[in-house]
Amino acid sequence: MILADFLVEQWLNPMDSKAEHNFGTSCVKALTMDELFRVTEQDENAFLKDLSTMSLHYHHGDSTGSPRVKKAVAGLYPKADVDPKHVMMVHGGTGANDIVIMGLLEKGDNIVVIKPTYQQHYDIPKSMGIETRIVQLKEEEEYLLNMKELSKAVDGNTKLIALSNPNNPTGATLYEDGLQELVEIARSVDAYILCDEIYRGMDETYMPSILDFGYDKAISVSSLSKMFSMAGTRIGWIVTKDEYAYKNFENRRSYNTICCGIIDEIVGAIAMENYKKVWARARSILAPNKQMVYDWVKTQPHLSLHGDAKGTTCLIRYDYDITSTDMAVDAMEKARILLCHGACFDEEPAFRLGYGGFTDRNQLQESLDALSDYLKTLE
Ligand SMILES: Cc1ncc(COP(=O)(O)O)c(C=O)c1O
């Protein structure tokens, strides 16, 4: 079956470098190498010295990831008793989602997808001919998962429940109670859970993972792209305690990855070993920016914003007479403002606004002013 166009990636990737006002990105402003060493307080010279004598052979023993990087990933789940053997390094969050979905689903299964979400979660299974059931997050419920609807959607053939938590695009987040309930629903039909936790880490206090609830069929995927601000490393991972799933993922990964970049794994390990410092930097960018965006929306008579975003983006609805796709193209053409149209998430009329790309508050204000001016042209 044909794989649908991956709308968000096809729109944003070519536009990213052309935008003057970039609300498209869902990443936190990327670190430079130099900044990584400053933020983590590690010795850059020692790292460079080690690199210069390093063999550039594939992997150095364990193709699923170096012992160092797998241990660093395990450290991101302090309440889940994760062992490095449960960790598999892959090519980004995209690689992780792809491997989990392709590695688990087979004819006769269904997948239940919590939507809106990253398009991989529903269009890869659809392309495989898998029955894909949707549970829709609703504005009037602050985009929080309706457990009754989820219970109704699953049955004995549900192999996988997929979600992003914190959610992309709305930022809505399930905490302990919600995740526990989700686990119980999955357990009732013996389903796996694919929880894409790539935006986890924005709170000052601990943010739970799907792995924290003692359910072996829980699968956490994530990467260095968002809260770690290192998307160019293309380092992602899958964590599960389920041996059957792990074996399937390992096999699929042999077909499309073999192993991750060995230099990227070292850089990633440095960031993850010091994740509290790296996440604190991300938070120092995200928290004030989010506040500015929420305040700005209140000044806009044609916009509305629901839910409390705990990621890097929020979903903004509007009442102008224009489709979200036309609006995104027009805003880029007329004012070099990059928005991500709601159509990328089947959300209409709406756009996703990313606020992680601005380290300078004045620049964010200028960009919001430019967006206000652009929106006036739609009245
Ligand atoms: C929920 C989610 N998962 C995965 C990805 C892909 O991330 P990566 O750059 O790690 O492949 C994204 C990117 O926007 C995302 O929003």
Side-chain angles (χ1 to χ4, degrees):
M1 231 179 261
I2 299 285
L3 187 55
D5 284 345
F6 201 158
L7 297 177
V8 71
E9 298 301 339
Q10 288 182 6
W11 167 245
L12 291 180
N13 282 310
M15 292 300 160
D16 191 61
S17 57
K18 297 192 181 113
E20 192 177 325
H21 307 288
N22 192 339
F23 295 113
T25 186
S26 57
C27 298
V28 178
K29 181 79 174 176
L31 286 160
T32 60
M33 284 292 278
D34 198 35
E35 211 179 349
L36 171 68
F37 284 96
R38 254 187 289 123
V39 169
T40 58
E41 299 174 282
Q42 299 299 298
D43 184 349
E44 188 167 7
N45 290 327
F47 160 79
L48 291 172
K49 195 154 169 262
D50 284 351
L51 274 197
S52 65
T53 55
M54 185 177 156
S55 158
L56 295 175
H57 187 56
Y58 270 130
H59 48 86
H60 297 158
D62 182 354
S63 74
T64 61
S66 72
R68 179 178 175 186
V69 79
K70 286 171 63 172
K71 185 165 174 241
V73 170
L76 304 176
Y77 302 91
K79 298 197 178 172
D81 195 23
V82 170
D83 185 278
K85 73 176 185 214
H86 304 131
V87 176
M88 186 178 299
M89 305 310 296
V90 295
H91 190 102
T94 36
N97 284 320
D98 189 68
I99 287 172
V100 171
I101 293 167
M102 302 279 288
L104 274 182
L105 294 172
E106 48 194 321
K107 205 164 166 243
D109 291 339
N110 68 62
I111 177 172
V112 175
V113 181
I114 318 301
K115 215 172 154 200
T117 190
Y118 201 50
Q119 198 179 337
Q120 283 187 301
H121 288 182
Y122 44 96
D123 273 327
I124 295 176
K126 273 189 204 156
S127 77
M128 296 163 70
I130 298 289
E131 186 195 346
T132 304
R133 302 177 177 181
I134 302 299
V135 174
Q136 187 69 32
L137 302 175
K138 299 186 197 82
E139 182 184 9
E140 60 275 20
E141 294 176 349
E142 305 280 291
Y143 302 113
L144 291 170
L145 178 58
N146 183 315
M147 298 295 168
K148 282 198 188 114
E149 289 183 15
L150 178 63
S151 295
K152 273 194 220 141
V154 298
D155 66 16
N157 291 330
T158 304
K159 173 71 80 59
L160 190 58
I161 299 170
L163 73 159
S164 49
N165 192 55
N167 176 263
N168 177 10
T170 67
T173 301
L174 295 175
Y175 285 88
E176 274 86 356
D177 292 353
L179 290 174
Q180 180 75 61
E181 232 181 307
L182 167 61
V183 163
E184 292 321 321
I185 293 168
R187 203 193 293 276
S188 72
V189 291
D190 200 27
Y192 288 92
I193 304 170
L194 162 57
C195 195
D196 184 331
E197 300 183 335
I198 203 165
Y199 296 102
R200 175 172 166 245
M202 185 176 161
D203 284 349
E204 301 246 355
T205 48
Y206 179 77
M207 289 180 88
S209 160
I210 196 68
L211 301 176
D212 293 355
F213 301 89
Y215 185 53
D216 283 358
K217 287 194 160 181
I219 302 163
S220 170
V221 306
S222 189
S223 87
L224 296 180
S225 293
K226 312 299 175 185
M227 290 302 289
F228 283 99
S229 321
M230 297 166 65
T233 62
R234 307 310 302 138
I235 288 290
W237 57 90
I238 303 169
V239 186
T240 182
K241 294 185 183 177
D242 185 89
E243 281 176 32
Y244 167 83
Y246 192 96
K247 254 179 114 79
N248 278 12
F249 301 157
E250 196 173 354
N251 182 41
R252 174 137 301 270
R253 181 181 177 279
S254 302
Y255 279 96
N256 63 21
T257 309
I258 302 182
C259 70
C260 289
I262 54 174
I263 298 176
D264 290 341
E265 283 192 354
I266 297 176
V267 178
I270 292 167
M272 287 188 270
E273 285 159 1
N274 298 283
Y275 75 92
K276 289 187 180 160
K277 292 175 187 164
V278 180
W279 285 3
R281 171 207 177 253
R283 268 198 301 275
S284 73
I285 296 169
L286 289 169
N289 287 4
K290 172 185 155 184
Q291 191 58 53
M292 276 176 74
V293 168
Y294 272 62
D295 291 344
W296 172 81
V297 171
K298 285 187 202 138
T299 69
Q300 299 296 309
H302 297 276
L303 304 185
S304 63
L305 171 50
H306 286 260
D308 187 13
K310 292 300 180 78
T312 59
T313 65
C314 53
L315 187 70
I316 298 178
R317 297 198 180 271
Y318 62 82
D319 66 5
Y320 301 105
D321 188 18
I322 184 170
T323 66
S324 68
T325 309
D326 286 350
M327 182 198 266
V329 172
D330 193 46
M332 194 61 197
E333 276 176 10
K334 283 196 186 135
R336 289 179 57 210
I337 297 170
L338 182 55
L339 300 172
C340 182
H341 38 306
C344 298
F345 302 91
D346 293 331
E347 291 287 339
E348 197 78 63
F351 57 88
R352 186 187 76 175
L353 188 145
Y355 46 81
F358 300 87
T359 44
D360 176 352
R361 241 63 79 202
N362 293 327
Q363 158 95 68
L364 174 57
Q365 190 56 58
E366 267 173 39
S367 292
L368 288 170
D369 291 344
L371 184 52
S372 305
D373 290 344
Y374 168 73
L375 291 174
K376 281 198 192 103
T377 68
L378 301 176
E379 282 175 0

